[in-house]
Amino acid sequence: MSKGKQSSGEAKEPVKVYKWDGTAVKNALDDAVKEVMTAKLPYTENFNLMDGRLVICAIAVGVAMFALLWDFLNPFPKSRPVLIGCVASYFLLMGVLTLYTTFKEKASLLL
């Protein structure tokens, strides 16, 4: 049997992580909790919160790309009002993203 696929009767190898590597520990704990919640309990994974974050970030990147293209087609003195609007929109969207992650995702588990 391949190493990645195990039957339900076989025991899984314990994950070994260097305990002082905070990122590795967090990822190992996230994977373990996800495994328990989705495989052993009747829960399914929901990606709506992450999709909301991605939408906000995609709009911000679109604004930044529009500003770059506009400045390329109309050099700086002519493009100043558009650049000011795009920069203000970008910072506004980053504020919305911060509020979204602070208040919408605050009580969520398994992000």
Side-chain angles (χ1 to χ4, degrees):
M1 184 170 282
S2 69
K3 189 175 183 180
K5 295 181 180 179
Q6 297 176 350
S7 67
S8 60
E10 293 181 29
K12 290 187 176 184
E13 279 188 36
V15 178
K16 294 184 181 180
V17 179
Y18 179 61
K19 68 179 178 180
W20 299 113
D21 185 2
T23 305
V25 171
K26 180 199 174 296
N27 289 338
L29 288 173
D30 286 347
D31 291 342
V33 170
K34 177 183 167 188
E35 177 71 26
V36 168
M37 296 296 279
T38 58
K40 297 182 181 186
L41 298 174
Y43 294 106
T44 58
E45 215 170 348
N46 187 348
F47 295 101
N48 289 342
L49 289 174
M50 193 172 295
D51 290 344
R53 253 191 291 172
L54 285 173
V55 166
I56 294 169
C57 290
I59 293 170
V61 168
V63 167
M65 289 174 58
F66 175 75
L68 179 67
L69 180 66
W70 190 267
D71 190 49
F72 180 75
L73 296 175
N74 302 307
F76 175 65
K78 287 173 53 179
S79 65
R80 184 176 179 185
V82 173
L83 289 178
I84 290 172
C86 288
V87 168
S89 299
Y90 185 85
F91 283 112
L92 178 73
L93 285 167
M94 291 300 105
V96 168
L97 181 64
T98 301
L99 292 173
Y100 180 83
T101 56
T102 302
F103 295 111
K104 183 90 170 158
E105 296 180 356
K106 69 178 178 181
S108 65
L109 178 68
L110 302 173
L111 289 177

